[in-house]
Amino acid sequence: MKRIPEGKVTTYGIIAVELRGSVRAARAVGQALASNPAPVVIPCHRVVCSDGTVGGYCHGIDKKIELLIAEGIEIEHGRVKNLEKVLFRF
DNA sequence: CCCATGACTAATT
DNA sequence: AAATTAGCCATGG
């Protein structure tokens, strides 16, 4: 996650592939972030669902959206706009 | 070891 | 385009 450039985002699935070599581990990835070991230190707010939906955030989904917008990412109706533009694929 | 639970996905309906 | 369904994975009881 520390590799995700500012102003960009990635999806759980992508991380899953990077990590476990399979998109099917996406769910497990979520679990990992859910029990986020280092809140604040890790920019876990730059991770969204493959379909663009924001997903969740330990400090509250709203907070997550604010952070993303603060980084220049457009969000609307709980969805990332221009996902293709800001999506970081590693 | 078995079961239930999610910050997920992809495929159907 | 929205709602459902069915796999999938790590974790905790």
Side-chain angles (χ1 to χ4, degrees), chain A residues 20-89:
Chain A
R20 306 295 308 173
S22 171
V23 62
R24 312 185 197 298
R27 210 156 189 177
V29 173
Q31 287 307 311
L33 297 191
S35 51
N36 193 342
V40 190
V41 182
I42 309 247
C44 49
H45 59 278
R46 304 199 188 139
V47 187
V48 299
C49 298
S50 67
D51 61 358
T53 40
V54 179
Y57 190 56
C58 33
H59 295 34
I61 182 62
D62 303 305
K63 187 70 179 180
K64 178 172 181 177
I65 296 181
E66 289 182 45
L67 287 169
L68 290 176
I69 292 180
E71 293 191 358
I73 301 193
E74 305 280 332
I75 308 279
E76 187 171 308
H77 304 94
R79 295 261 181 146
V80 176
K81 289 177 55 175
N82 315 337
L83 181 59
E84 304 307 316
K85 305 281 187 185
V86 300
L87 186 57
F88 177 62
R89 305 170 196 289

